[in-house]
């Protein structure tokens, strides 16, 4: 393990942390603007031109707000819960290839922190650990709304992990590897090689499950503002609440990277155009998260369970079986 | 050097976490420490180069401990201390010491007598997942299948236990229907 590798890794980690923390902040601005335009409003307009500095103002507000720990809570768990959400979101990013490898000053850079050969399982597993944040925060808060939200987090986690795994299994069987770089190389030949054409069902299922994993509308029931206040976030204030926010938005960005890498060809042949293509796909999937929030109502918890266990999971299992038969004969 | 540092760090963390699990009186502390300890164990797999098992360890135990949280939520007020019934302290200490010594013996005796031989050494040219699959579907095929049957039995048993009135939905029923159902609560549904 030479020092060049060490320095390179540390630089990559710092860059990913900075870029995606900032993107999480800017993401909130985009979300408010997109929602506003879809609802015929203006959205944030006062801070800076077109309100672009709004996320800076929000950041200052969050950083300077008093950090309140209520007396009834289980303090150590209450304090660590937001950190889990934010930290696991960034830990998952360690196995995502963000761009094709490029040369800078004659030094070849691979924009992936660690190319472990089980990337996709690692990413899904660590993202799943992220749901411990809402769960622990909700259970430690000593608040009934938070407890309801924690119970929902556990239920959503246990159900949708199954769908995500089974949906990802079919393309994994086709590629025969768990590394996202292998996935990308498998689809590098162009649009006709994309896995989505041979696995459309798995693509749709994975996409639906991604909404549940990130806790976005229509599966926003973990922190449903209009029925359980802010769920696990009810007792939080200041930067601790902000960490939940950063974790949620970072997760949205990372899952938006994973979906194109798995199904839509990723960065293709590794050219500059391919890299731009990947960023465009990520932007589309991120935009779709916001679009759905404007266009769809939330589902009830029992409908969510019904959808998962009676519709999505059987379809996913059948998809895996059919894929197996097709590959065998 | 990095391996040694990582090993001792995670060894300390794992032992500290499981110590908390055993000694604390707070259900929430115990569960959280259990989850953390299980996840820290995956670090040892990563250090040994068994990436696949490490990732699987994370996935399996986050899910398993999450189910325990659900039970904790139902049985306890997890923000308060649980009053434990302390029996004879000498028996507890004696039994736990005996169990610890036994485990150390079981693990270390084959090592001391040089009785461990790798029957299926890992081939260099295949990946992590492939080597797990290779052993699982050759040498350990029967234990694998037996485990599958056991899980199937457990699943059927779980469905039978929890499956009463599964076709009903309280949210979709009117008030009178729920009242009627309360009256016939004592009737057996499954039989």
């Amino acid at each position: 393990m030479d020092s060049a590798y060490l320095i390179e890794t540390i630089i990559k980690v710092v860059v990913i942390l900075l870029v995606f923390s900032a993107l999480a902040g800017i993401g909130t601005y985009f979300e408010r603007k997109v929602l506003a335009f879809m609802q015929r409003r203006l959205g944030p307009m006062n801070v800076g031109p077109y309100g672009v500095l709004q996320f800076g103002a929000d950041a200052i507000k969050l950083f300077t707000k008093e950090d309140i720990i209520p007396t009834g809570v289980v303090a150590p768990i209450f304090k660590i819960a937001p950190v889990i959400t934010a930290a696991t979101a960034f830990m998952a990013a360690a196995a995502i290839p963000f761009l094709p490898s490029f040369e800078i000053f004659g030094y070849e850079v691979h924009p992936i922190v660690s190319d472990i050969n089980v990337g996709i399982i690692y990413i899904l597993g660590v993202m799943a650990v992220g749901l411990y944040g809402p769960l622990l925060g909700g259970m430690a808060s000593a608040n009934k709304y938070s407890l309801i939200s924690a119970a929902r987090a556990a239920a959503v986690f246990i159900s949708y992990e199954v769908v995500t795994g089974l949906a990802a299994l079919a393309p994994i069987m086709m590629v025969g590897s768990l590394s996202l770089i292998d996935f990308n190389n498998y689809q590098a030949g162009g649009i006709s090689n994309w896995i989505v054409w041979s696995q459309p069902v798995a693509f749709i299922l994975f996409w639906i499950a991604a909404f549940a994993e990130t806790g976005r509308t229509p599966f926003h029931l973990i922190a449903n503002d209009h029925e359980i206040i802010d769920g696990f976030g009810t007792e939080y204030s200041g930067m601790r609440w902000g960490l939940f926010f950063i974790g949620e938005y970072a997760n949205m960005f990372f899952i938006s990277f994973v979906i194109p890498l798995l199904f839509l060809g990723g960065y293709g042949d590794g050219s500059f155009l391919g890299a731009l293509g990947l960023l465009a796909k990520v932007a589309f999937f991120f935009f779709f998260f916001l679009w759905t929030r404007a266009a769809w109502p939330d589902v009830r918890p029992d409908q969510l369970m019904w959808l998962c266990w009676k519709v999505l999971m059987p379809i996913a299992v059948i998809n895996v079986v059919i894929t197996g038969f097709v590959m065998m004969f | 050097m990095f391996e040694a540092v990582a090993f001792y760090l995670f060894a300390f963390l794992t032992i500290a976490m499981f110590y908390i699990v055993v000694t604390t009186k707070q259900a929430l502390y115990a569960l959280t420490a259990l989850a953390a300890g299980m996840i820290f164990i995956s670090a040892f797999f990563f250090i040994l180069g068994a990436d696949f098992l490490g990732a699987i360890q994370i996935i399996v135990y986050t899910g398993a401990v999450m189910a325990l949280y659900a039970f904790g939520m139902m049985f306890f007020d997890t923000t308060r201390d649980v009053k434990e019934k302390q029996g004879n302290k000498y028996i507890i200490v004696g039994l736990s010491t005996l169990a610890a010594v036994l485990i150390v013996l079981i693990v270390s005796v084959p090592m001391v007598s040089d009785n461990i031989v790798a029957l299926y050494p890992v081939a260099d040219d295949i990946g992590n997942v492939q080597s797990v699959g290779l052993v699982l579907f050759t040498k350990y095929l029967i234990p694998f299948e037996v485990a599958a049957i056991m899980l199937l039995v457990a699943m059927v048993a779980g469905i039978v236990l929890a499956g009463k009135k599964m076709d009903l939905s309280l949210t979709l029923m009117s008030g009178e229907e729920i009242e009627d159902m309360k009256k016939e609560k004592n009737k057996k549904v499954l039989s």
Side-chain angles (χ1 to χ4, degrees):
Chain A
M1 201 175 286
D2 54 316
S3 48
Y5 171 79
L6 252 185
I7 294 167
E8 191 194 330
T9 308
I10 289 171
I11 290 176
K12 278 187 220 164
V13 169
V14 171
V15 165
I16 288 176
L17 267 177
L18 289 180
V19 166
F20 282 96
S21 305
L23 269 183
I26 300 168
T28 61
Y29 172 74
F30 277 124
E31 168 154 35
R32 293 168 72 172
K33 271 294 184 197
V34 169
L35 287 183
F37 287 140
M38 286 187 181
Q39 296 160 351
R40 294 194 171 182
R41 295 184 285 120
L42 285 177
M45 282 299 277
N46 287 327
V47 192
Y50 292 101
V52 282
L53 297 177
Q54 181 69 43
F55 84 93
D58 282 344
I60 293 171
K61 182 194 80 176
L62 285 178
F63 272 111
T64 51
K65 235 178 170 178
E66 186 191 357
D67 179 27
I68 300 170
I69 311 285
T71 39
V73 302
V74 185
I77 310 276
F78 183 82
K79 284 179 193 164
I80 207 166
V83 183
I84 294 176
T85 306
T88 49
F90 286 104
M91 273 162 67
I96 299 177
F98 291 104
L99 291 171
S101 56
F102 54 89
E103 273 197 21
I104 185 165
F105 304 127
Y107 187 82
E108 201 187 2
V109 181
H110 299 275
I112 174 171
V113 176
S114 171
D115 181 21
I116 52 175
N117 54 17
V118 292
I120 177 68
I121 286 194
Y122 170 82
I123 292 169
L124 294 180
V126 175
M127 271 191 178
V129 179
L131 271 173
Y132 268 90
L135 178 77
L136 290 177
M139 285 181 80
S141 281
N143 177 321
K144 288 186 182 65
Y145 294 109
S146 304
L147 193 66
I148 292 174
S149 142
R152 288 180 178 183
V156 170
F157 169 83
I158 292 171
S159 330
Y160 274 84
E161 200 57 5
V162 177
V163 177
T164 320
L166 285 174
L169 191 58
I172 289 172
M173 282 158 68
M174 286 175 61
V175 178
S177 165
L178 294 168
S179 164
L180 281 176
I181 291 188
D182 288 345
F183 263 87
N184 188 77
N185 295 342
Y186 182 88
Q187 311 172 69
I191 292 184
S192 55
N193 284 14
W194 288 4
I195 291 180
V196 66
W197 306 128
S198 45
Q199 291 289 351
V201 180
F203 171 64
I204 301 284
L205 289 177
F206 194 87
W207 202 359
I208 293 176
F211 278 89
E213 291 267 300
T214 49
R216 298 291 300 179
T217 316
F219 304 135
H220 192 231
L221 45 87
I222 296 177
N224 219 351
D225 319 35
H226 46 260
E227 48 175 338
I228 50 172
I229 313 182
D230 196 27
F232 59 89
T234 308
E235 299 284 352
Y236 282 93
S237 67
M239 204 50 215
R240 286 188 202 284
W241 186 81
L243 278 177
F244 275 130
F245 221 76
I246 290 176
E248 185 190 332
Y249 277 83
N251 250 335
M252 275 161 70
F253 275 108
F254 295 142
I255 205 89
S256 305
F257 267 101
V258 170
I259 297 174
L261 281 167
L262 273 182
F263 293 100
L264 296 175
Y267 49 73
D269 49 3
S271 62
F272 181 68
L273 215 61
L276 277 187
L278 176 62
L279 293 184
K281 289 166 205 164
V282 171
F284 169 74
F285 280 105
F286 187 76
F287 173 73
F288 198 86
F289 275 118
L290 312 181
W291 190 3
T292 330
R293 183 164 178 193
W296 277 74
D298 274 317
V299 299
R300 286 198 314 262
D302 64 313
Q303 290 170 330
L304 181 89
M305 294 294 126
W306 172 84
L307 183 69
C308 171
W309 292 108
K310 291 194 177 167
V311 182
L312 299 183
M313 202 192 72
I315 294 176
V317 172
I318 293 168
N319 186 40
V320 168
V321 171
I322 291 175
T323 312
F325 273 113
V326 170
M327 285 175 64
M328 229 164 102
F329 304 114
Chain B
M1 192 205 54
F2 287 112
E3 267 115 36
V5 172
F7 173 78
Y8 284 112
L9 175 70
F10 282 105
F12 171 76
L13 280 173
T14 312
I15 292 171
M17 285 304 143
F18 286 126
Y19 180 77
I20 295 174
V21 175
V22 178
T23 51
T24 183
K25 285 188 174 157
Q26 253 262 22
L28 196 54
Y29 285 160
L31 287 168
T32 312
L34 184 67
M38 287 300 184
I39 290 167
F40 286 144
I41 284 182
S42 73
F44 299 116
F45 289 111
F46 285 120
I47 291 170
L48 290 170
D51 299 344
F52 181 67
L53 287 180
I56 290 295
Q57 167 92 13
I58 295 180
I59 291 184
V60 168
Y61 281 100
T62 43
V65 180
M66 191 74 88
L68 272 184
Y69 272 104
F71 282 115
M73 220 183 283
M74 286 185 267
F75 293 146
F76 302 111
D77 178 359
T78 43
T79 53
R80 303 283 167 266
D81 281 4
V82 176
K83 241 193 181 167
E84 282 178 274
K85 213 171 88 185
Q86 297 275 13
N88 190 334
K89 276 197 177 153
Y90 297 104
I91 292 181
I92 295 173
V93 173
L95 278 180
S96 38
T97 319
L98 192 70
V101 171
L102 267 180
I103 287 175
V104 172
L105 277 180
I106 290 169
V107 176
S108 59
V109 160
M111 268 194 259
V112 173
S113 63
D114 283 334
N115 213 0
I116 293 182
V117 187
L119 290 174
Y120 293 83
V122 178
D124 283 332
D125 52 337
I126 58 171
N128 222 301
V129 188
Q130 283 87 341
S131 36
V132 171
L134 211 62
V135 184
L136 202 58
F137 289 107
T138 52
K139 192 187 175 192
Y140 296 108
L141 183 61
I142 289 177
F144 180 68
E145 294 290 342
V146 169
I149 289 173
M150 206 181 76
L151 285 177
L152 184 68
V153 170
M155 194 176 81
V156 171
I159 291 172
V160 170
L161 275 178
K164 292 167 189 168
K165 295 186 182 172
M166 243 189 355
D167 49 336
L168 299 176
S169 167
L170 281 179
T171 26
L172 297 181
M173 287 160 71
S174 65
E176 294 118 50
E177 281 175 313
I178 296 178
E179 285 303 314
D180 287 346
M181 207 181 67
K182 273 186 189 163
K183 277 175 207 149
E184 351 170 355
K185 181 164 67 172
N186 294 328
K187 279 189 194 168
K188 263 197 172 173
V189 178
L190 256 179
S191 60

